[in-house]
Amino acid sequence: MAEPELALRFQRRFLAARQLRCFPWPELEEELRTSSGCSVLLAILRQTLLHPLCVQYPPPTKYRLSFLTQLIKKHEATAAEPLDELYETLAQLLKEEESPACYKSYFLPTGESVTLCESLAMVSGGTTGLVTWDAALHLAEWAVLNPLLFTHRTILELGSGAGFTGIAICKACRPRRYIFSDCHPWVLHQLTQNICLNGFSPGPAAAAHTQGQSQAQGAAGASGQAPQVMVADLDWGSVTQSQLLALQPEVILAADVIYDPEIILALIGMLQKLSTCRADGKPPEVYIAATIRNPDTYLLFQARLDEAGISWQQLPAHSSSALLSDLQPNLTLLQLFL
């Protein structure tokens, strides 16, 4: 394998803090048995721990130490001369203290990057919304590969969490307006920070959606300017029709929102309200990505959709993935018809 290609494969997994078992270690071991082994290691070091994104927005200290330790072990196993750069980087890492939050950076198929501040814990402050889940990566990658579904349109995302899907779409698909939403205060705070971190300035989501605004925003989107970005505090159980009428979404997105049977009815109720919230009377298009952890919960969601008269279809899976280290058989993407 060519040296730059192998280094880039390490880079994409490392900056997103993927599990170490997902890295192409066998390919590295093969390269280290050749005369160019040291140059490969240095290329990987520069594309990971010394990459500008890592320096400015570092993944967890413990994670970086584990990764560097693996690199050093692979190098020492070849009985080659020590590489000063490896040990100098190790000395710097050993001086660091772990932060309660970390950064992860993801490269989109378009070449652009999304950097997020995330919690180290899967559940923090009573919510799972402070980390990026695989369904969000799956939905974002599908969206980036199908940009015309989102270009110059108003998108509402339910349960935005850390914000990855929406930020990726704003960068790669040129929507007219993107409305991020969630209901947990900590999630909304971190979501807003992540949106700003990626160069967007979120405005209030309660602004009236007039015909004049729509036309002006459409012209801005068509000219290639950044989309209008908003953050909305939307509790599915208590949201009012007037709140939704102000949003006027043409497309509704959600990722990993059907993991708990207790929220399924609230989600379907929200979708039913959204089906009649547009001034032109047309129901929005709906796309939901999910990780099927419990087949019974997934089947319950389908049954509740049928009971509500909402038809659906499963969309084809990606043939490959740039964001996920490997394709997950339990990831699915549904299109709903309100």
Side-chain angles (χ1 to χ4, degrees):
M1 179 179 295
E3 174 186 313
E5 180 185 345
L6 182 59
L8 287 175
R9 287 179 63 190
F10 269 85
Q11 175 203 73
R12 291 175 183 268
R13 289 161 172 80
F14 173 82
L15 291 176
R18 305 298 290 186
Q19 295 182 10
L20 293 185
R21 61 176 176 80
C22 298
F23 285 73
W25 299 112
E27 290 91 330
L28 174 59
E29 292 169 356
E30 184 176 342
E31 289 288 342
L32 290 176
R33 287 192 285 269
T34 69
S35 58
S36 61
C38 289
S39 64
V40 172
L41 269 179
L42 288 175
I44 290 173
L45 183 66
R46 290 163 186 155
Q47 291 288 356
T48 54
L49 289 150
L50 302 183
H51 190 279
L53 273 176
C54 178
V55 174
Q56 188 172 6
Y57 304 113
T61 304
K62 184 177 180 181
Y63 176 82
R64 286 178 286 145
L65 274 171
S66 297
F67 175 79
L68 181 56
T69 300
Q70 283 294 318
L71 282 186
I72 291 173
K73 285 181 178 178
K74 298 298 182 186
H75 178 61
E76 290 179 342
T78 66
E81 289 293 319
L83 284 174
D84 290 343
E85 290 89 341
L86 290 176
Y87 296 97
E88 289 168 0
T89 306
L90 177 61
Q92 290 296 321
L93 276 177
L94 291 173
K95 297 176 183 177
E96 289 189 19
E97 294 184 3
E98 190 68 85
S99 168
C102 70
Y103 292 97
K104 294 182 181 181
S105 297
Y106 306 84
F107 282 93
L108 305 178
T110 57
E112 296 174 287
S113 64
V114 174
T115 296
L116 304 176
C117 179
E118 300 187 11
S119 169
L120 290 175
M122 288 187 176
V123 180
S124 179
T127 178
T128 59
L130 299 175
V131 297
T132 298
W133 298 90
D134 282 352
L137 301 178
H138 186 66
L139 179 58
E141 186 157 32
W142 173 81
V144 170
L145 295 174
N146 296 275
L148 294 182
L149 291 173
F150 309 99
T151 302
H152 308 155
R153 306 183 80 185
T154 296
I155 319 297
L156 169 63
E157 184 182 0
L158 302 177
S160 297
F164 176 78
T165 299
I167 294 169
I169 290 174
C170 286
K171 287 196 171 191
C173 301
R174 293 193 306 150
R176 175 189 303 119
R177 185 165 67 139
Y178 199 99
I179 306 159
F180 297 81
S181 74
D182 219 295
C183 65
H184 192 288
W186 289 10
V187 175
L188 290 168
H189 175 72
Q190 182 174 277
L191 172 61
T192 301
Q193 286 189 319
N194 283 334
I195 293 169
C196 295
L197 182 64
N198 285 273
F200 299 102
S201 300
H209 182 86
T210 65
Q211 183 67 25
Q213 284 176 319
S214 179
Q215 291 172 349
Q217 291 157 8
S223 67
Q225 295 181 16
Q228 183 183 16
V229 173
M230 299 180 173
V231 177
D233 182 350
L234 292 183
D235 186 317
W236 301 345
S238 61
V239 66
T240 65
Q241 197 70 23
S242 61
Q243 282 180 285
L244 300 181
L245 284 170
L247 303 180
Q248 296 287 303
E250 296 168 90
V251 181
I252 296 168
L253 298 176
D256 224 338
V257 294
I258 56 174
Y259 57 89
D260 185 347
E262 294 185 5
I263 64 173
I264 287 176
L265 284 178
L267 172 61
I268 291 177
M270 179 70 160
L271 293 173
Q272 289 175 316
K273 291 177 183 177
L274 286 164
S275 68
T276 59
C277 73
R278 291 186 57 194
D280 60 9
K282 296 179 181 178
E285 300 169 21
V286 182
Y287 303 96
I288 295 181
T291 300
I292 304 174
R293 300 177 181 85
N294 184 331
D296 290 339
T297 302
Y298 183 60
L299 291 174
L300 175 65
F301 177 62
Q302 294 177 340
R304 293 289 183 262
L305 287 175
D306 294 339
E307 291 171 5
I310 300 174
S311 57
W312 55 273
Q313 68 176 2
Q314 184 170 329
L315 298 178
H318 312 319
S319 58
S320 62
S321 178
L323 291 172
L324 294 162
S325 53
D326 52 357
L327 289 175
Q328 306 292 324
N330 58 343
L331 283 172
T332 189
L333 180 60
L334 299 180
Q335 181 179 8
L336 277 53
F337 302 91
L338 302 181

